[in-house]
Amino acid sequence: MPEPADSSAVLRVVVTTALGALPLEDALVTVSTAADEAGARTLLYAVRTDANGMTPPMTLSTPPLSNSLSPDNGPPYAVYTVEVAREGYTPLTALHVTMFSGIPAVLPVALTPLEENQSSSQTDLTATGDPQVLYHPTPGEEE
């Protein structure tokens, strides 16, 4: 498999149930951009998991690796939202999934079966706050 370009990274999602013990086939996995100021997102991928609970590789755009060399270059990562759903299971949303240029990532997701006669519910994997700050100036440095 060729290495991703300097401005992309490959994401795979592995979906399981039974606290990660059993792979979950045919789960719908969608990847979209993080919400903008208006709350809008752009859908990038909508794929299904295979018999091993794994999605196909999804190549996502990222800032160049050189952004990690200085805090003035902007964030060295891109932020995405991943949603996972399958009939009979509680859907999950992973917010602020960070992707770094050239670094492949695997996102493990464990879905919980719905109780009998329960139609659906929603659970978020991560908080809805801002992405993690990777750089803090030392005292005396300008921001």
Side-chain angles (χ1 to χ4, degrees):
M1 180 167 128
E3 292 195 29
D6 187 45
S7 61
S8 68
V10 174
L11 172 67
R12 293 190 83 177
V13 179
V14 61
V15 182
T16 59
T17 190
L19 300 175
L22 300 172
L24 196 56
E25 185 177 8
D26 203 36
L28 176 63
V29 177
T30 60
V31 178
S32 60
T33 59
D36 62 16
E37 296 81 25
R41 295 183 292 162
T42 301
L43 179 65
L44 303 172
Y45 286 95
V47 297
R48 296 263 178 196
T49 56
D50 62 16
N52 297 315
M54 184 77 73
T55 64
M58 298 172 280
T59 302
L60 302 170
S61 296
T62 62
L65 192 59
S66 61
N67 279 16
S68 65
L69 301 177
S70 170
D72 299 329
N73 290 344
Y77 56 87
V79 180
Y80 294 94
T81 299
V82 177
E83 296 175 278
V84 182
R86 187 169 187 275
E87 187 176 336
Y89 293 84
T90 302
L92 289 174
T93 301
L95 305 170
H96 305 297
V97 174
T98 55
M99 299 294 296
F100 292 84
S101 181
I103 309 290
V106 175
L107 177 66
V109 175
L111 294 185
T112 304
L114 292 171
E115 293 182 25
E116 200 170 327
N117 300 322
Q118 184 180 1
S119 59
S120 74
S121 65
Q122 180 71 31
T123 304
D124 288 337
L125 288 177
T126 60
T128 57
D130 290 330
Q132 177 182 0
V133 176
L134 298 178
Y135 172 79
H136 291 284
T138 56
E141 275 190 280
E142 293 183 30
E143 288 192 46

